[in-house]
Amino acid sequence: MAAPERLKTLRRVDRPWWLAVVACSGAVVLGHFLRQLNIALNPLAWSSAEIISAMLSFTIAASVLVRYYGTGNRVSLLLGLTFGVTGIIHLGAIFEFYDHFLKPSEQLRVPVSWMIGQMLLGLLLLVACVINKWLPWPRDPGKNVVALFSIVVSATCLVAATFLIFPITAAIRPHSPTPRVWELLPAVVFLIAAIVLDSVKESDGFAFDTALVWVAGLNVISHLIASQSARLLDASAGVAELVNAISYIVLLGATLLDNSRLFRQVRILAISDSLTGLANYRHLVDVLQNELERSGRTDRPFSVLLMDLDGLKKINDRHGHVIGSRALCRVATILRLNCRSIDAAARYGGDEFALVLPETNVLAAEQVADRVRDCLISDEEVPQLSISIGVATFPKCGVTVQQLLEFADRDLYAMKEQSKRGSLEKRRRS
């Protein structure tokens, strides 16, 4: 590897570490600064923030599950179930919080349910990095749901048992350099998850994978700021809660962007031919119907070219189906090159194509047909291709989709018969 390339690689590797160090140090400094401010949050505001976080968790869960059914990505399913459970825990933290708040004589501590939710999210983010590689998965989607639901429930029970059975307290020590020292544990878990997620991130263009890294990183910052909180509802705790909510918003936004992209891809696949990229028969009928309605209002003609690639079976038999598929793509390319932006080219079926020409009379349509034939003749790629074309014009040749296609089909096969007779006459003369 050349020296400049090796230097670039090292920079790409080192940059996340430097960013992590700077961000973590800045979070601790910010938390210490906020700790000095004499600000007390309203318990109602904190409860509202928890409710918002819970609603965001449920929305993320629903959006991520939609993404799973669209992509089959099991990490999406795991995290969708995780955020669903986290949302329930956020709601439970509200009741536990008020229970502690109404008992001021006890030692001040953070609700255990909040700790359980954060540790669960961090651990399952870490598990999600390697879950596809370590565990065999059934092909049945229903069994995948059961398997991952079992993992989430087991992890939830394990984390809850750890905090409830063992004497782990979340006490706040106001005079300590780090009042909430236990906040460092989930911070470390989220930091490891962020590093691992960044290293295994797939380059498929989805925002979800990048957002997971940011979610883990923002949770690191949130816990480091919270570690400097000397009171249950001081400025450090409020900013930490805000950063935590921002991480949810980032992931929700990324999930919605990915879902809109998936829906767009599904729509394109539903109206296009997978081989040629042209419109399919279903979309062709829709275009023709819309054009009939528009031309009926404006009283202007439009034309349809119905085309048949000559001798595709012979090409497949002689050169193979790969070359035959290539021949279809060559025709599609020529149609695209000879289309206006308002025209619509489609693969009618098999070796047949169609071209809808808005506001085009029969003479202009025949000129387009001649141009398409000339382009195929001048194409030097082997094998040489030829095409038969039938023309139908609204309203002269028909006033419905079926009438127009039937007229163009008759014109197409009349042209084929004429071409066959011409070939026979040439053979007889020779």
Side-chain angles (χ1 to χ4, degrees):
M1 183 183 293
E5 294 181 358
R6 185 164 55 249
L7 182 59
K8 290 180 180 179
T9 303
L10 290 174
R11 286 177 179 174
R12 284 196 297 268
V13 173
D14 292 342
R15 190 177 300 163
W17 288 97
W18 282 108
L19 289 176
V21 171
V22 172
C24 292
S25 302
V28 173
V29 172
L30 176 61
H32 184 74
F33 170 76
L34 294 172
R35 176 183 172 183
Q36 310 305 318
L37 302 178
N38 189 21
I39 296 176
L41 300 178
N42 190 312
L44 184 61
W46 187 89
S47 301
S48 300
E50 282 294 298
I51 293 174
I52 292 173
S53 297
M55 294 302 104
L56 286 173
S57 296
F58 293 141
T59 308
I60 290 172
S63 300
V64 171
L65 290 176
V66 170
R67 183 179 188 270
Y68 164 70
Y69 284 107
T71 63
N73 186 290
R74 289 183 288 262
V75 173
S76 299
L77 177 59
L78 174 68
L79 294 178
L81 296 172
T82 301
F83 276 99
V85 174
T86 303
I88 297 173
I89 294 174
H90 273 294
L91 294 178
I94 297 174
F95 297 100
E96 188 182 356
F97 168 76
Y98 276 106
D99 182 60
H100 283 285
F101 189 74
L102 295 174
K103 299 175 182 178
S105 60
E106 293 187 2
Q107 186 181 18
L108 199 59
R109 65 184 71 237
V110 170
V112 176
S113 55
W114 189 83
M115 297 170 57
I116 293 173
Q118 291 299 297
M119 282 298 298
L120 176 67
L121 180 59
L123 288 173
L124 288 179
L125 276 176
L126 192 57
V127 170
C129 303
V130 292
I131 197 168
N132 275 332
K133 296 181 180 179
W134 284 7
L135 295 179
W137 296 103
R139 295 183 179 180
D140 184 6
K143 293 182 178 179
N144 276 328
V145 174
V146 173
L148 288 173
F149 183 76
S150 301
I151 291 175
V152 173
V153 171
S154 301
T156 304
C157 294
L158 180 63
V159 174
T162 303
F163 282 98
L164 296 175
I165 296 177
F166 295 97
I168 298 177
T169 62
I172 300 175
R173 297 176 174 82
H175 303 293
S176 172
T178 307
R180 300 189 188 183
V181 66
W182 42 266
E183 292 276 7
L184 299 179
L185 177 59
V188 171
V189 174
F190 277 111
L191 179 60
I192 296 173
I195 295 172
V196 177
L197 283 168
D198 187 64
S199 64
V200 302
K201 183 172 59 178
E202 297 180 4
S203 58
D204 54 7
F206 282 108
F208 179 80
D209 300 322
T210 302
L212 286 179
V213 181
W214 282 95
V215 167
L218 287 171
N219 273 277
V220 174
I221 294 174
S222 172
H223 284 285
L224 289 177
I225 294 175
S227 69
Q228 297 296 312
S229 173
R231 297 191 302 276
L232 189 59
L233 296 177
D234 62 358
S236 297
V239 172
E241 185 71 25
L242 177 62
V243 174
N244 183 61
I246 290 174
S247 71
Y248 286 9
I249 294 172
V250 168
L251 185 58
L252 177 60
T255 307
L256 293 177
L257 285 175
D258 285 345
N259 287 350
S260 65
R261 172 185 170 184
L262 290 172
F263 292 148
R264 185 170 60 251
Q265 290 176 346
V266 169
R267 182 180 180 277
I268 291 173
L269 290 174
I271 65 174
S272 63
D273 175 62
S274 58
L275 175 63
T276 63
L278 300 180
N280 57 17
Y281 175 78
R282 177 182 178 181
H283 188 52
L284 170 65
V285 173
D286 291 338
V287 170
L288 283 172
Q289 190 62 47
N290 293 334
E291 199 58 39
L292 282 171
E293 295 174 0
R294 189 186 67 82
S295 297
R297 292 192 303 268
T298 60
D299 198 25
R300 293 181 179 179
F302 76 92
S303 297
V304 181
L305 303 185
L306 196 59
M307 294 161 273
D308 184 82
L309 179 59
D310 299 327
L312 179 61
K313 185 178 184 304
K314 294 180 180 179
I315 294 174
N316 286 331
D317 293 341
R318 183 175 180 180
H319 300 279
H321 287 275
V322 174
I323 301 300
S325 297
R326 171 61 188 162
L328 294 172
C329 294
R330 288 165 59 189
V331 174
T333 300
I334 288 174
L335 291 180
R336 274 192 289 265
L337 292 175
N338 288 276
C339 276
R340 300 168 297 177
S341 59
I342 61 173
D343 299 337
R347 187 180 177 191
Y348 186 72
D351 56 356
E352 294 183 326
F353 297 84
L355 185 60
V356 182
L357 305 170
E359 300 191 7
T360 304
N361 57 31
V362 63
L363 294 178
E366 289 176 350
Q367 291 177 356
V368 174
D370 291 337
R371 188 163 63 246
V372 171
R373 279 191 290 263
D374 292 341
C375 288
L376 278 175
I377 293 173
S378 61
D379 188 1
E380 298 180 355
E381 186 173 343
V382 177
Q384 184 70 44
L385 303 179
S386 63
I387 196 169
S388 300
I389 304 177
V391 181
T393 303
F394 171 86
K396 180 180 179 181
C397 303
V399 293
T400 66
V401 172
Q402 184 176 357
Q403 290 174 354
L404 288 171
L405 292 177
E406 287 178 351
F407 188 94
D409 193 57
R410 289 195 299 269
D411 191 44
L412 167 66
Y413 280 96
M415 181 180 178
K416 276 184 171 290
E417 290 296 327
Q418 183 180 356
S419 178
K420 289 180 181 179
R421 286 195 298 268
S423 299
L424 290 174
E425 288 179 3
K426 288 181 179 179
R427 291 178 181 175
R428 288 172 184 173
R429 291 174 185 177
S430 61

